[in-house]
Amino acid sequence: MPLILGVPAETVPGERRLSVVPDVVKKYQGLGAQVLMESGAGLPAHYRDEAFAGVEFAADAQALYAAADVLLCVQPPKAEFLTAMKPGSVLLGMLQPWGDAERAKLLLEKQITAFALELLPRITRSQSMDALSSQAAVAGYECALIAADHSPKFFPMLTYAAGTIRPAKVLVIGAGVAGLQAIATARRIGAMVEAYDVRPETREQVESLGARFVDTGVSAAGKGGYARELTDEEKAQQTERLAKAVGQCDALITTAAIPGKRAPKIITADMIGRMKPGAVVVDMAAETGGNVEGTVPGEKVWINDVLVIGPTHIASRMPVHASEMYAKNLFNFISPFIKEGALALDWEDEVMAGCCLTHAGELRHAGVKQVLGL
């Protein structure tokens, strides 16, 4: 029997992405694997069943989970579906490993080998598998468009018969993948862009995109390219120097995140109070608590004549390309271990071992084990 790769419909409200696309299905089939999909799974991402040549379709979700040797997902499956999985089967996707101890216990009880792409080692070889980065690029692009769409000002300079309109000033907080994409997109639209990050080494990247770097004198460079948490003294210094830049911008985009933790609060209510009337704030971190005081996930709220937007499922706003990028990340991770239609996991492989959440009833990731207390 060939290896069966299961592709379910995503069940989280607002999630429109898919874990495979037709071109990637062909690659799996070329490795001798059989792809089993839930009928209609691709519709939210604008892929019809007939686009997936050679794919078999399961009668229902329970049947798919029960039959799959490897289950490819975007969001963590519900407990009722995890329960249906075969002992020893593999679950691969963005599993939010730090977020749910009960889900981790269920994976252990079912003897499921789970790979969470959030745990991917930050090394050169893993870059083509880095779903966090690929989806962050989508989110950064979308946040710049959201800001432009809601701003009462033109982003680009505009010359018309009666004179010239000055371009809007955009401030981007966080210069990771999402922030850099937001900077690049806002610049392409024509805005004047400033950016801030607690990691001073990002200055060169910011300036290479044509933006001005806001220097607060605080450095929070951490491991793996991510920022560490700031001390109270550093937060106070950051707040004081950042407030001036926030008060001068027409649109503010915040993208700061710390893996496995709540998003850091960077923009205070006092800063919002100093912003120009009609200014727009787009808080990309809304789903994990937000970088802005007053952000409401999934809502638009007015605070002192400033519009604060807390978008959720941002990558799902562009599901075609987001799904294509994500599907390729999954393929690049699992394909080296599919040989002649069978799965051959290599525990000596640094990327695979580092990404493993559970295997054979054991919680493999020390960091997750500590956070969940298991």
Side-chain angles (χ1 to χ4, degrees), residues 175 180 183 199 201-211:
L180 292 173
I183 293 167
R199 300 165 297 165
E201 65 269 22
T202 60
R203 175 192 287 267
E204 184 177 345
Q205 295 171 297
V206 167
E207 293 176 345
S208 73
L209 294 172

Side-chain angles (χ1 to χ4, degrees), residues 287-310:
E287 287 186 73
T288 55
N291 300 142
V292 181
E293 277 192 60
T295 292
V296 179
E299 301 290 340
K300 303 173 186 178
V301 296
W302 286 95
I303 302 175
N304 297 328
D305 205 16
V306 173
L307 179 60
V308 178
I309 305 171

Side-chain angles (χ1 to χ4, degrees), residues 4-132:
I4 299 176
L5 299 173
V7 181
E10 296 295 323
T11 58
V12 174
E15 181 56 73
R16 300 174 60 197
R17 292 169 293 176
L18 185 65
S19 55
V20 298
V21 295
D23 286 347
V24 172
V25 164
K26 293 177 184 176
K27 293 182 179 180
Y28 283 124
Q29 292 167 338
L31 295 174
Q34 175 187 339
V35 179
L36 178 67
M37 289 183 67
E38 186 176 347
S39 182
L43 291 178
H46 307 294
Y47 292 106
R48 298 175 180 173
D49 287 354
E50 53 265 32
F52 297 92
V55 168
E56 291 191 23
F57 291 92
D60 54 42
Q62 290 283 351
L64 182 142
Y65 279 88
D69 299 309
V70 177
L71 198 291
L72 306 176
C73 63
V74 179
Q75 299 272 4
K78 293 180 178 180
E80 63 190 272
F81 296 133
L82 291 178
T83 302
M85 293 182 69
K86 296 185 292 189
S89 57
V90 172
L91 177 65
L92 171 61
M94 292 193 291
L95 304 182
Q96 301 172 19
W98 299 280
D100 191 335
E102 293 305 313
R103 182 167 56 239
K105 290 177 183 177
L106 183 55
L107 293 171
L108 296 174
E109 290 171 9
K110 291 292 295 182
Q111 300 277 309
I112 293 170
T113 297
F115 295 106
L117 290 181
E118 296 96 327
L119 304 178
L120 198 72
R122 307 284 290 183
I123 60 176
T124 301
R125 188 165 66 85
S126 69
Q127 288 179 352
S128 67
M129 315 166 196
D130 190 353
L132 286 180

Side-chain angles (χ1 to χ4, degrees), residues 6 19 64 68 91 98 101-103 105 177 182 187 197 211 219 221 238 272 278 293 322 325 327 337 339 348 358 369:
S19 55
L64 182 142
L91 177 65
W98 299 280
E102 293 305 313
R103 182 167 56 239
K105 290 177 183 177
V177 173
R187 285 284 297 151
D197 195 291
S219 172
Q238 177 196 56
I272 296 293
E293 277 192 60
M325 296 163 78
F337 311 112
K339 304 181 186 300
E348 298 299 317
T358 61
K369 185 182 295 186

Side-chain angles (χ1 to χ4, degrees), residues 169 171 173 194 196 212 214-216 236-250 252 266-268 270-272 274-276:
K169 180 178 285 188
L171 174 63
I173 305 295
E194 294 183 334
Y196 168 71
R212 189 182 78 83
V214 177
D215 190 354
T216 64
Q237 182 178 337
Q238 177 196 56
T239 298
E240 179 184 350
R241 299 193 182 181
L242 196 55
K244 182 178 179 180
V246 170
Q248 294 174 344
C249 72
D250 300 301
L252 172 65
I266 297 174
I267 306 302
T268 64
D270 179 64
M271 290 182 184
I272 296 293
R274 299 186 198 181
M275 294 184 76
K276 301 175 184 178

